[in-house]
């Protein structure tokens, strides 16, 4: 029977002094019962502690499970949102792209496409929804100008999944597509399909062709312009040669004419002073003298203008008596003034000037003669000289019809006349050009203003000490 006892009970019986063949004493029973009671109490406490531990662990495990569940759901929601956002970005990017985009999987099924792809190839929505790449390929072949080459290139790319390609496709409606294809690569260097990009470059090709045509036309026009320019240059050179020959001939003629006019002037002056000459004959001689003087001055002007154009007008400036020079001008033109019933007045606040005496005299003669020709009979031409800072201002005033404002620069150009008649202001277009040349040779300027109440004022500004021209001293 003792073999059936629980090992713990056997240990307690031994502790109480009982043997297997002898029953325990009363005291031993009390001791045994006390031990049993203590053992039961300890076992019950251990059970309670274990149950509490299991209960606490169970609640903690439940809370941990709930926490893990919430965390997993939050992370899953966050990951789902991230994936949905990425997909929306990809979709928006595809739809906003100017290119037609088509993505084909490894199984030759349509993975994605954008609206532009369907518009470019004019593919029905029902066919796209089927998702069969082979069906799409068969549909677009009818739109391609060279379907065999198109199909051969597509199949070659599918047979070589890692190959990229770019080329142009001509359609039967004369549109041109730029086609770009590349594999969809995975991180482990496998492929997951192929993406196709199509861009309509028809307009850019047309613009490029138009640009090429324009460039070719421009080059042809440039060549024609060059030929025309060469022809113009050759004509200009021929004209320059003719002009040089004409100028040389004119210079020779004017030079000879100057000698003849000098003889006429000398003889006419001597004849005019002859005491036995009748009044009518004296007037005729005076007219001859006036015409000869005018022609002589024109000849000298023409020679000096030509000399200036060939390399500059030589000057021999000196300190001269302006009053004496003006008096000589008035004396030389007295005959013209008498014939036209125009007098000459002077008002000189400056009596000295540094200039070339011969050139300055002829400048004043041209201006006074020009003023006389337009001054009304009975009026006066006035010569003034005033000091202006570092310059001397000469002015010749008349009471004629004046010079239009629009013509005030042109009248100083060679051969420019304001009227059609030879007697128009500016004469034959040499006198005022000569005056401008002389003014500028002295470092000055010439211009024309309105006179009050009517007429013109020709103004010449001369520096008090003009800059010396290299090699000009003493030359004439």
């Amino acid at each position: 029977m003792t073999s059936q006892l629980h090992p713990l009970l056997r240990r307690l019986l031994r502790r109480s002094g009982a043997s297997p063949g002898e029953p325990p004493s009363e005291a031993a029973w009390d001791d045994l019962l006390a031990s049993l009671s203590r053992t039961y109490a300890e076992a019950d406490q251990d059970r309670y502690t274990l149950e509490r531990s299991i209960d606490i662990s169970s609640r903690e495990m439940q809370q941990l499970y709930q926490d893990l569940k919430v965390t997993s759901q939050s992370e899953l929601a966050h990951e789902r949102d991230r994936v949905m956002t990425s997909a929306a970005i990809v979709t928006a990017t595809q739809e906003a792209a100017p290119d037609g985009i088509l993505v084909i999987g490894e199984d030759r099924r349509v993975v994605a496409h954008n609206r532009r792809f369907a518009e470019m190839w004019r593919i029905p929505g029902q066919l796209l929804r089927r998702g069969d790449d082979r069906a799409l390929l068969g549909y677009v072949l009818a739109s391609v100008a060279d379907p065999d080459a198109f199909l051969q290139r597509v199949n070659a790319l599918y047979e070589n999944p890692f190959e990229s390609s770019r080329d142009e496709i001509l359609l039967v409606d004369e549109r041109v597509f730029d086609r770009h294809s590349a594999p969809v690569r995975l991180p482990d260097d496998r492929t997951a399909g192929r993406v196709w990009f199509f861009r309509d470059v028809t307009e850019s090709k047309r613009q490029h062709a138009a640009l090429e045509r324009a460039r070719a036309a421009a080059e042809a026009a440039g060549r024609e312009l060059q030929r025309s320019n060469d022809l113009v240059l050759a004509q200009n050179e021929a004209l320059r040669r003719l002009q040089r020959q004409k100028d040389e001939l004119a210079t020779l003629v004017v030079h000879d004419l100057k000698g003849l006019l000098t003889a006429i002037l000398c003889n006419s002056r001597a004849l005019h002073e002859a005491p036995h000459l009748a009044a009518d004959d004296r007037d005729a001689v005076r007219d001859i003298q006036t015409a000869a003087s005018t022609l002589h001055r024109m000849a000298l002007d023409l020679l000096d203008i030509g000399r200036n154009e060939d390399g500059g007008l030589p000057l021999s400036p000196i300190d001269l008596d302006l009053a004496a020079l003006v008096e000589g001008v008035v004396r030389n033109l007295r005959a013209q003034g008498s014939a036209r019933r125009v007098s000459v007045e002077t008002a000189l606040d400056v009596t000295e000037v540094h200039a070339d005496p011969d050139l300055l005299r002829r400048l004043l003669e041209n201006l006074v003669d020009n003023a006389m020709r337009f001054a009304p009979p009975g009026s006066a031409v006035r010569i003034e000289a005033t000091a202006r800072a570092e310059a001397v201002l000469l002015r010749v005033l008349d009471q004629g019809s004046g010079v239009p404002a629009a013509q005030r620069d042109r009248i100083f150009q060679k051969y420019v006349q304001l009227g059609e008649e030879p007697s128009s202001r500016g004469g034959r277009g040499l006198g005022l050009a000569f005056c401008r040349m002389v003014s500028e040779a002295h470092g000055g300027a010439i211009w024309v203003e309105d006179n009050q109440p009517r007429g013109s004022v020709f103004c010449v500004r001369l520096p008090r000490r003009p800059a010396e021209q290299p090699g000009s001293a003493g030359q004439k």
Side-chain angles (χ1 to χ4, degrees):
M1 178 178 178
T2 58
S3 61
Q4 298 177 357
L5 294 176
H6 191 275
L8 177 61
L9 183 58
R10 284 199 301 270
R11 286 197 301 274
L12 292 174
L13 286 174
R14 284 194 301 271
R15 290 177 182 174
S16 63
S19 62
E22 182 179 355
S25 62
E26 183 178 352
W29 276 111
D30 291 339
D31 187 45
L32 177 63
L33 289 175
S35 297
L36 287 172
S37 178
R38 287 194 302 273
T39 301
Y40 178 78
E42 291 174 354
D44 187 62
Q45 182 65 36
D46 290 342
R47 179 188 60 78
Y48 176 75
T49 300
L50 179 62
E51 288 178 352
R52 288 287 299 167
S53 299
I54 292 173
D55 181 62
I56 292 172
S57 298
S58 176
R59 286 198 300 272
E60 288 178 349
M61 290 293 292
Q62 290 178 359
Q63 184 63 41
L64 179 61
Y65 170 75
Q66 291 298 329
D67 291 345
L68 288 174
K69 182 178 179 181
V70 170
T71 300
S72 298
Q73 289 176 345
S74 176
E75 290 178 351
L76 286 173
H78 176 72
E79 187 66 21
R80 182 172 59 254
D81 291 343
R82 190 181 67 81
V83 171
M84 292 177 63
T85 300
S86 298
I89 292 173
V90 171
T91 301
T93 302
Q94 289 178 348
E95 292 302 324
D99 301 336
I101 302 174
L102 175 67
V103 183
I104 303 298
E106 289 289 299
D107 56 357
R108 296 290 295 273
R109 299 288 297 175
V110 176
V111 176
H113 68 85
N114 66 350
R115 184 166 51 251
R116 179 60 178 155
F117 170 76
E119 293 172 351
M120 290 176 63
W121 289 100
R122 299 165 184 168
I123 300 175
Q126 182 180 2
L127 182 58
L128 281 169
R129 285 190 292 272
R130 286 174 53 187
D132 187 351
D133 176 55
R134 293 179 177 82
L136 291 178
L137 184 60
Y139 179 85
V140 302
L141 283 177
S143 303
V144 180
D146 189 351
D148 293 337
F150 182 89
L151 183 60
Q152 181 180 1
R153 186 57 184 154
V154 170
N155 290 333
L157 288 173
Y158 280 127
E159 291 170 2
N160 298 274
F162 290 96
E163 183 177 347
S164 296
S165 173
R166 186 164 192 170
D167 57 0
E168 287 187 351
I169 307 168
L170 177 63
L171 276 63
V172 294
D173 59 4
E174 297 185 350
R175 287 184 296 162
V176 181
F177 289 172
D178 177 77
R179 174 176 62 181
H180 182 207
S181 180
V184 179
R185 291 180 178 271
L186 298 175
D188 58 1
D189 206 27
R190 291 182 298 117
T191 62
R194 179 169 289 277
V195 60
W196 301 85
F197 296 90
F198 300 92
R199 175 170 294 184
D200 191 340
V201 295
T202 308
E203 187 60 30
S204 64
K205 298 288 284 185
R206 289 173 181 167
Q207 292 176 356
H208 180 72
L211 185 61
E212 285 297 314
R213 290 193 298 270
R215 183 184 61 81
E219 290 178 351
R223 290 190 295 269
E224 183 62 28
L225 182 61
Q226 184 61 45
R227 285 194 295 268
S228 300
N229 185 60
D230 293 341
L231 179 59
V232 169
L233 290 176
Q235 292 175 343
N236 286 341
E237 181 60 30
L239 289 174
R240 279 193 293 269
R241 286 196 301 269
L242 290 174
Q243 184 65 37
R244 284 195 298 269
Q245 294 171 2
K246 185 190 74 171
D247 291 343
E248 291 170 359
L249 179 60
T251 300
L252 291 174
V253 171
V254 170
H255 189 274
D256 292 341
L257 183 61
K258 184 182 70 169
L260 296 174
L261 289 171
T262 301
I264 293 173
L265 279 173
C266 292
N267 290 322
S268 63
R269 285 170 184 166
L271 185 58
H272 186 268
E273 300 298 329
H276 61 277
L277 197 64
D280 292 341
D281 293 336
R282 193 177 302 279
D283 291 340
V285 171
R286 184 185 62 193
D287 292 341
I288 294 173
Q289 184 178 350
T290 300
S293 178
T294 301
L295 287 174
H296 186 264
R297 188 169 57 252
M298 290 176 59
L300 293 177
D301 291 348
L302 186 57
L303 286 174
D304 283 337
I305 289 174
R307 187 181 298 119
N308 183 66
E309 291 175 347
D310 288 339
L313 184 66
L315 298 180
S316 297
I318 61 173
D319 291 328
L320 56 90
D321 186 344
L322 182 59
L325 186 140
V326 171
E327 183 181 349
V329 170
V330 174
R331 184 173 56 252
N332 292 340
L333 297 176
R334 184 175 293 119
Q336 289 96 313
S338 298
R340 295 168 178 148
R341 291 189 294 135
V342 175
S343 62
V344 179
E345 301 174 352
T346 60
L348 308 180
D349 295 337
V350 178
T351 58
E352 290 186 356
V353 67
H354 189 79
D356 185 302
D358 181 59
L359 293 178
L360 184 57
R361 174 186 57 77
R362 289 163 50 198
L363 179 148
L364 288 173
E365 286 180 352
N366 272 292
L367 292 180
V368 174
D369 178 68
N370 188 66
M372 284 181 173
R373 283 188 285 109
F374 292 94
S379 65
V381 172
R382 184 178 178 86
I383 304 174
E384 295 179 353
T386 56
R388 295 290 180 88
E390 296 299 320
V392 173
L393 182 63
L394 303 177
R395 300 186 350 137
V396 177
L397 302 84
D398 66 59
Q399 300 175 33
S401 57
V403 179
Q407 304 293 335
R408 290 179 182 176
D409 285 334
R410 294 187 64 246
I411 61 173
F412 296 104
Q413 298 175 13
K414 189 169 63 172
Y415 304 129
V416 171
Q417 302 179 52
L418 298 187
E420 297 180 356
E421 297 298 326
S423 61
S424 63
R425 184 178 289 276
R428 272 82 177 163
L430 292 176
L432 293 179
F434 171 79
C435 292
R436 183 178 206 172
M437 179 187 68
V438 173
S439 302
E440 293 177 350
H442 282 81
I446 186 171
W447 66 94
V448 61
E449 301 173 349
D450 285 330
N451 192 15
Q452 297 300 330
R454 56 171 296 167
S456 300
V457 182
F458 282 81
C459 306
V460 178
R461 180 181 55 80
L462 297 177
R464 288 186 179 273
R465 285 284 176 177
E468 191 77 19
Q469 289 188 344
S472 65
Q475 294 182 7
K476 281 302 292 176

